[in-house]
Amino acid sequence: LRGGQAASFPLHFPTPFHCRAMPVFQPVGQKRLTNVAIVRMKKGGKRFEVACFPNKVLNWRNGIEKDLDEVMQDTQVYSNLSKGNLAKRQDLVSAFGTDDEQAVCREILQHGDLQVSDKERQLQLESLFHEVATIVADKCVDAATGQPLTVSLIERAMHNMHVNVVSTRSAKQQALEVIKMLEQSDMSIVRAQMRLRIRAERNMQAEVQALLEKLEGTRIEQESETDTGVELVCLINTGSFRDLNQSVAARKSVSVEVVDAKALGLEASHSTGSRQAEGGSSSSGPAHHVIAVDVPIASAAQRAEGDSAPEGEPSGVARAKFACKSCPGATFNDAQVHREHFKSDWHKYNLSLKTKGLTMVSQEEFAERMQEAEAAGAGRDDFFK
């Protein structure tokens, strides 16, 4: 400055970088739907959306949930739910014929496309996979022993065969296809038979027996005379039950009763066949009839726990009351010990072998394999794979 006078123009000094004000980030109305299931429908060239609670739409469509407020988060209809744009009244009237939003919401819930997240879709597929395996286990038995199959055993077999369920098809329909696939595989599985009790008058006895002989896989277990006619207890394939029921439905003199929808075990048929062979020379009845009036049919629990006598064993020799069909040589005289056996590693290992179609091992061979696996440093999970 000259002459000690102040400058008449403003002075500007640069502002340090760290003192400069940063721009404030403000959202532009973005709305993240983290806990909303969107049901979308396109009708009349317009798109309509409603907001629902996750896992509630399927309950509504299956008839489990009846309250609309428990399914929907909001009873308003949107044209774009993520942006919050409501549908116009004239669009509702032109597309649905009414402006009643609750009626429109019900139609969208029932017939719209459900938009779900990956986790919800995975949970739905896992639940359907377990339901299919449960139906297969309920309808099938072991082909060699006639004993029931566990759901976990069926699930492992389905995983090994790389079975993929489809959410758009019913569980029962897919279960029937899985049964056909398992029957064609190396797994010992077969559809369980039904145990029926048929009562017929004397004039219909020959016709009923001829009808049973035509059905494939039918076996008469017991035949007894009644005051009015004859009573038959037989095993029949599940697929033949409808044909049999339709054939005798119009006849009042014949009645069909389902004793057991899933006949377990082959012990009853083996014992019946042995009685028929022993009494064949002294019996005067027809060759294809099995007369066993004095021996009642064993219950499902008795057939599952009981064990038939080996061939050639004298009747006076004491034998074990219980046996495991999956473990060779496993016999027990006590029911508690028999139940504890199913929790043992030997039994679990044989179940894994049965799933893979391999030969089951004895207790001595299992102990040797266990020692070899421990010596090789294999873990417990690797040994049971």
Side-chain angles (χ1 to χ4, degrees):
L1 299 177
R2 298 179 181 179
Q5 296 180 355
S8 60
F9 52 88
L11 300 178
H12 297 278
F13 298 96
T15 306
F17 180 78
H18 64 276
C19 295
R20 295 179 182 177
M22 298 297 294
V24 179
F25 174 77
Q26 295 181 353
V28 290
Q30 184 178 10
K31 183 178 179 182
R32 297 184 181 275
L33 304 176
T34 57
N35 194 30
V36 178
I38 303 177
V39 182
R40 180 180 296 120
M41 173 182 281
K42 290 186 178 180
K43 192 172 184 180
K46 301 291 183 179
R47 184 177 67 177
F48 303 96
E49 298 177 348
V50 293
C52 305
F53 292 102
N55 303 327
K56 285 291 186 178
V57 179
L58 296 180
N59 293 342
W60 171 271
R61 293 180 176 179
N62 295 332
I64 301 175
E65 185 62 58
K66 301 293 185 180
D67 190 0
L68 189 63
D69 295 333
E70 295 293 333
V71 179
M72 301 192 60
Q73 296 191 5
D74 188 7
T75 56
Q76 292 180 321
V77 182
Y78 296 83
S79 60
N80 193 326
L81 182 58
S82 60
K83 295 183 178 180
N85 298 334
L86 294 175
K88 298 180 181 180
R89 177 178 174 275
Q90 57 184 5
D91 294 340
L92 296 178
V93 174
S94 61
F96 299 96
T98 179
D99 58 351
D100 186 1
E101 291 191 340
Q102 285 199 359
V104 174
C105 289
R106 292 177 183 273
E107 184 174 350
I108 295 177
L109 278 177
Q110 192 66 31
H111 304 288
D113 298 329
L114 176 61
Q115 309 294 322
V116 296
S117 62
D118 294 338
K119 292 184 179 180
E120 294 173 355
R121 186 178 293 106
Q122 183 66 24
L123 180 63
Q124 179 183 356
L125 292 177
E126 290 177 357
S127 177
L128 181 60
F129 188 89
H130 180 74
E131 185 179 358
V132 171
T134 304
I135 296 176
V136 174
D138 185 61
K139 292 182 176 295
C140 299
V141 294
D142 192 294
T145 64
Q147 298 302 309
L149 301 171
T150 61
V151 178
S152 59
L153 185 68
I154 300 297
E155 287 181 343
R156 286 197 297 269
M158 292 172 61
H159 282 299
N160 294 336
M161 299 180 62
H162 306 286
V163 176
N164 296 322
V165 295
V166 183
S167 59
T168 56
R169 301 177 59 192
S170 64
K172 185 176 181 181
Q173 184 180 7
Q174 298 184 68
L176 296 178
E177 296 180 357
V178 171
I179 292 175
K180 295 180 181 179
M181 296 173 60
L182 294 176
E183 289 177 344
Q184 295 175 0
S185 66
D186 298 334
M187 187 175 181
S188 177
I189 185 174
V190 69
R191 285 290 298 270
Q193 289 187 312
M194 301 177 64
R195 179 171 282 109
L196 305 179
R197 179 180 288 110
I198 303 176
R199 297 183 178 92
E201 296 182 359
R202 289 187 176 86
N203 57 347
M204 295 294 298
Q205 179 177 354
E207 184 177 352
V208 170
Q209 291 177 348
L211 180 61
L212 292 177
E213 291 177 358
K214 294 180 181 179
L215 300 178
E216 183 180 358
T218 304
R219 183 172 65 253
I220 300 177
E221 286 188 328
Q222 290 185 352
E223 178 181 343
S224 59
E225 297 291 338
T226 61
D227 296 337
T228 58
V230 65
E231 178 179 303
L232 303 175
V233 177
C234 61
L235 291 176
I236 186 174
N237 292 335
T238 309
S240 303
F241 174 72
R242 179 179 298 179
D243 298 335
L244 175 63
N245 194 28
Q246 291 178 352
S247 302
V248 301
R251 297 176 173 83
K252 297 182 179 180
S253 57
V254 181
S255 63
V256 179
E257 176 187 356
V258 179
V259 179
D260 193 354
K262 182 181 179 182
L264 303 179
L266 302 176
E267 292 82 4
S269 62
H270 289 169
S271 59
T272 304
S274 62
R275 287 194 302 270
Q276 183 185 14
E278 293 173 359
S281 58
S282 59
S283 175
S284 58
H288 63 278
H289 291 176
V290 180
I291 308 298
V293 181
D294 56 335
V295 181
I297 299 178
S299 63
Q302 293 172 345
R303 292 192 305 272
E305 294 180 353
D307 188 22
S308 59
E311 295 182 1
E313 180 181 340
S315 58
V317 178
R319 64 178 185 273
K321 296 181 181 179
F322 308 99
C324 178
K325 303 297 183 181
S326 300
C327 301
T331 57
F332 312 92
N333 291 322
D334 183 62
Q336 181 63 28
V337 178
H338 184 218
R339 287 190 291 267
E340 292 294 334
H341 164 74
F342 295 112
K343 303 177 183 179
S344 63
D345 293 340
W346 177 30
H347 182 75
K348 295 177 182 178
Y349 182 70
N350 278 331
L351 287 181
S352 65
L353 294 179
K354 182 187 292 187
T355 305
K356 301 174 184 177
L358 302 177
T359 305
M360 295 165 284
V361 299
S362 62
Q363 189 173 11
E364 293 78 9
E365 187 175 355
F366 168 74
E368 294 178 359
R369 294 189 181 185
M370 194 74 173
Q371 293 175 359
E372 293 176 358
E374 292 178 355
R380 178 183 176 86
D381 296 337
D382 298 333
F383 179 73
F384 282 94
K385 282 184 179 179

